[in-house]
Amino acid sequence: MAGSFLIIGMIILTQTVVGILGNFSLLCSYIVLHVMGYRLRSTDLILKHLIVANSLVLLCKGVPETMAIFGWKQIRSDFGCKLLFFLHRMGRGMSIGSICLLSVFQMITISPWNSRWAALKVIAPKYTVPSIFLCWILQMPVNVIFPIFITGKWSHNNITEERDYGCCSSIQTDQKNIKTRDALYAALLSSPDVLCLGLTLWAGGSMVLILYRHKQQVQHIRRTDASSRSSPESRATKTILLLGGTFVCFYTLSSIFQVLLALFVQPSWLFVNMTIIIAACFPSVSPFLLISRDSSVQRLYFAWERNAKSSTIMRKV
């Protein structure tokens, strides 16, 4: 059992550290590009908020769970558990909201001028900031209900029924209405996610269809330079499709584990931690997907590498 504790703890710790470093470095890269005067796309602002949301998920879940597994100072107050669960839910909800916004805005951007979305191509960038803040605002009333029944494990003595969530737990007192209450809460909490997931899949399918039609049109052009090179819009669309597809896969798997966790009155320690690990996969992987696909960020990293090499050579000389 001690070996299992160590393995799970190391996995969560590695996910948290690598994910936070990846998100922080990517956020710093966008900030540096903005300061240097690079022309950023309208979707880059959404990516910045996605990075913040991913960081919230990792910090508010990975750090406390790592501390709990290794026996370090743990959260004992109700307020600490409630605040962490609220911020974690906010980050998780904003993560899927950002993916949804990215997919919809990019679908509008690459849509042909003769399509029904042509009127939105000009005005869509103006609504990027209001859409982002609307997502944050809508997440607050939905997720403020979630931490009501979350408590610290050492903040109560007489427990009739306790459900373990790792470093925190929830108390269940009314056994008669518990199933009805949990079903209502699950429906309320999952409805925005289901809507965003549906919009993401619809926008992703539309982008794939637009790219396919564009490829067919390009094949009729005989010039090899026009057919071999992909436009910046096409590269950005493929990046967002890769990001959205990765999110949908991890989110679907995480949702299955979340549902099973809600059904079990006393879930096992291993199952609780497996749910935490799967939920942290996308926030840990997504910044490296963006770094590997974003040409502007890659140019910035190459410039840093050249400067570092040149400074090293100058020191040797």
Side-chain angles (χ1 to χ4, degrees):
M1 192 64 181
S4 300
F5 268 91
L6 181 61
I7 293 173
I8 294 296
M10 290 303 299
I11 292 174
I12 296 177
L13 179 61
T14 303
Q15 272 187 319
T16 305
V17 173
V18 172
I20 290 174
L21 290 177
N23 283 283
F24 180 74
S25 61
L26 183 59
L27 182 61
C28 290
S29 301
Y30 282 124
I31 294 174
V32 171
L33 289 172
H34 179 72
V35 173
M36 293 175 61
Y38 280 81
R39 185 177 177 273
L40 300 179
R41 301 177 297 269
S42 59
T43 54
D44 289 337
L45 182 60
I46 305 176
L47 286 174
K48 292 178 184 178
H49 284 263
L50 174 63
I51 294 169
V52 174
N54 289 339
S55 301
L56 276 178
V57 173
L58 292 171
L59 286 171
C60 297
K61 200 66 174 179
V63 174
E65 293 298 335
T66 303
M67 294 170 62
I69 290 175
F70 286 104
W72 299 331
K73 185 178 179 181
Q74 301 180 21
I75 303 168
R76 297 177 179 270
S77 65
D78 288 348
F79 177 77
C81 278
K82 292 178 186 296
L83 179 62
L84 284 178
F85 262 75
F86 175 71
L87 293 177
H88 173 260
R89 291 292 307 185
M90 284 284 294
R92 184 178 182 274
M94 191 59 199
S95 183
I96 185 174
S98 299
I99 295 294
C100 178
L101 287 178
L102 276 173
S103 302
V104 172
F105 273 83
Q106 190 63 24
M107 186 270 294
I108 294 174
T109 301
I110 68 171
S111 61
W113 285 101
N114 58 354
S115 67
R116 56 183 176 179
W117 305 106
L120 296 176
K121 288 173 68 71
V122 179
I123 64 174
K126 300 178 182 179
Y127 291 95
T128 304
V129 175
S131 300
I132 294 172
F133 281 103
L134 182 62
C135 280
W136 282 106
I137 293 172
L138 290 178
Q139 289 298 326
M140 291 182 182
V142 172
N143 292 302
V144 75
I145 304 174
F146 189 82
I148 291 178
F149 298 98
I150 297 296
T151 62
K153 287 186 175 181
W154 296 270
S155 61
H156 42 74
N157 296 319
N158 298 324
I159 304 173
T160 56
E161 190 73 30
E162 180 185 9
R163 180 175 292 173
D164 188 10
Y165 289 107
C167 61
C168 299
S169 61
S170 65
I171 302 177
Q172 302 169 358
T173 55
D174 190 358
Q175 294 297 317
K176 295 181 179 179
N177 300 323
I178 185 174
K179 293 184 178 180
T180 304
R181 187 197 67 190
D182 287 350
L184 291 175
Y185 285 163
L188 177 62
L189 294 172
S190 62
S191 55
D193 293 351
V194 171
L195 177 61
C196 289
L197 187 62
L199 287 174
T200 301
L201 292 174
W202 168 74
S206 301
M207 285 190 286
V208 170
L209 183 61
I210 291 172
L211 289 177
Y212 176 74
R213 290 176 178 175
H214 176 70
K215 184 178 180 180
Q216 284 187 324
Q217 293 175 357
V218 169
Q219 286 177 350
H220 294 288
I221 302 176
R222 295 183 178 179
R223 292 181 301 174
T224 57
D225 58 344
S227 59
S228 60
R229 296 179 183 179
S230 59
S231 63
E233 291 80 8
S234 177
R235 290 196 299 270
T237 302
K238 292 177 181 178
T239 300
I240 293 175
L241 283 174
L242 177 62
L243 193 67
T246 305
F247 177 81
V248 169
C249 293
F250 281 128
Y251 177 81
T252 303
L253 188 60
S254 176
S255 298
I256 294 173
F257 272 75
Q258 291 283 351
V259 170
L260 294 176
L261 183 64
L263 292 177
F264 295 148
V265 178
Q266 290 292 345
S268 65
W269 174 86
L270 180 61
F271 190 82
V272 171
N273 285 279
M274 285 299 297
T275 305
I276 295 170
I277 291 173
I278 293 173
C281 284
F282 178 77
S284 303
V285 171
S286 59
F288 299 100
L289 289 177
L290 290 170
I291 291 172
S292 64
R293 298 284 301 181
D294 197 322
S295 58
S296 59
V297 174
Q298 289 179 359
R299 286 196 299 268
L300 180 62
Y301 285 155
F302 290 150
W304 284 344
E305 185 178 357
R306 287 195 300 268
N307 292 333
K309 288 182 178 180
S310 61
S311 61
T312 303
I313 293 174
M314 291 298 294
R315 289 174 185 174
K316 291 181 179 180
V317 174

